[in-house]
Amino acid sequence: EVQVVESGGGLVKPGGSLRLSCAGSGFSFSNAWMSWVRQAPGKGLEWVGRIKSKISGETTDYAAPVKGRFTISRDDSIDTLYLQMNSLETEDTGVYYCTTIALTVTTNHYYYMDVWGKGTTVTVSS
Amino acid sequence: DIQMTQSPSSLSASVGDRLTITCRASQSINSYLNWFQQKPGEAPKFLIYAASSLQSGVPSRFSGSGSGTDFTLTISCLQPEDFATYYCQQSYSTPWTFGQGTKVEIK
């Protein structure tokens, strides 16, 4: 079964740091593009960023609100994705989901976030 | 950034109804449009990619259409388990962006 499981959430003070982890299983993690999506309490979904596979250059892209503060990385040797969050703000509070990114093999490359974890909760509060 | 706008933000419907949710992009995204379903307390579930391609295992009462800037998600015969919030999302360019969501409630 393909699955991803997030961990590392918790309570942190504004200005603090936290690192989330996401363990993948049931698929070729090293070939997978991965992403993080978050959801503030009672709000909608917000894409945080993605990381490509090593063979695709392992490049990263981020949403504007987190650029320069958050870093996505991966350790393919242990099938784990990370989200390093620095300079945390109260607006970063929410549930953080890890997802796999699938790609169609048609002429047009369609990307979609197909497998989601259950999420891990981050609370930024003094 | 590409803005995604869904309408309506919420609606009430009955079991057996046919309903349509609209998603509009602030610029053309060809068919790079995905749909998700989320129930309270649960992670989102992926439904449709490339505007109209149903993910494996998703019931055929769900369908998607559109291209360019205007898209729709249709549920042909609403079932009790379909009451949830639905999100569209563009994967045409980063940053990927979601619509604000459409909450489907029981009438």
Side-chain angles (χ1 to χ4, degrees):
Chain A
E1 179 194 4
V2 174
Q3 66 174 356
V4 292
V5 179
E6 306 91 339
S7 61
L11 174 63
V12 61
K13 288 182 166 52
S17 298
L18 202 61
R19 189 178 80 159
L20 306 183
S21 300
C22 167
S25 60
F27 63 100
S28 175
F29 186 89
S30 62
N31 290 326
W33 294 20
M34 303 290 294
S35 74
W36 289 96
V37 175
R38 68 183 181 182
Q39 187 168 37
K43 303 296 184 182
L45 302 172
E46 180 184 24
W47 182 77
V48 171
R50 74 167 182 198
I51 186 167
K52 298 181 181 179
S53 60
K54 187 171 185 178
I55 200 170
S56 296
E58 210 168 309
T59 54
T60 53
D61 293 283
Y62 299 94
V66 307
K67 201 167 187 178
R69 299 188 299 124
F70 290 11
T71 301
I72 299 174
S73 62
R74 61 192 300 156
D75 186 341
D76 292 342
S77 68
I78 56 171
D79 295 349
T80 300
L81 175 74
Y82 300 103
L83 179 64
Q84 178 66 45
M85 303 185 293
N86 298 330
S87 303
L88 281 161
E89 305 167 353
T90 55
E91 293 77 15
D92 296 317
T93 293
V95 177
Y96 284 71
Y97 297 102
C98 164
T99 90
T100 59
I101 298 173
L103 166 67
T104 64
V105 294
T106 54
T107 302
N108 293 320
H109 295 309
Y110 293 103
Y111 300 94
Y112 49 94
M113 296 176 281
D114 57 343
V115 177
W116 295 60
K118 294 186 187 307
T120 187
T121 299
V122 173
T123 303
V124 184
S125 175
S126 55
Chain B
D1 298 1
I2 298 174
Q3 281 195 315
M4 306 300 294
T5 303
Q6 290 180 232
S7 61
S9 295
S10 65
L11 65 90
S12 296
S14 300
V15 172
D17 283 353
R18 177 186 179 90
L19 69 84
T20 298
I21 297 168
T22 297
C23 176
R24 174 165 288 176
S26 60
Q27 66 180 74
S28 176
I29 57 170
N30 295 332
S31 296
Y32 292 86
L33 192 281
N34 306 312
W35 288 98
F36 299 85
Q37 174 195 68
Q38 187 180 32
K39 297 178 181 179
E42 297 185 6
K45 175 186 175 183
F46 170 60
L47 298 177
I48 289 172
Y49 66 96
S52 60
S53 297
L54 215 60
Q55 170 71 335
S56 174
V58 174
S60 58
R61 63 181 179 274
F62 289 90
S63 64
S65 66
S67 67
T69 60
D70 294 315
F71 302 87
T72 59
L73 172 70
T74 299
I75 308 175
S76 60
C77 183
L78 204 60
Q79 297 300 299
E81 60 268 30
D82 300 336
F83 292 95
T85 300
Y86 294 85
Y87 295 92
C88 62
Q89 175 254 327
Q90 64 83 16
S91 58
Y92 178 78
S93 66
T94 57
W96 291 351
T97 45
F98 289 89
Q100 81 278 17
T102 295
K103 187 173 184 178
V104 177
E105 298 175 300
I106 301 174
K107 185 182 288 183

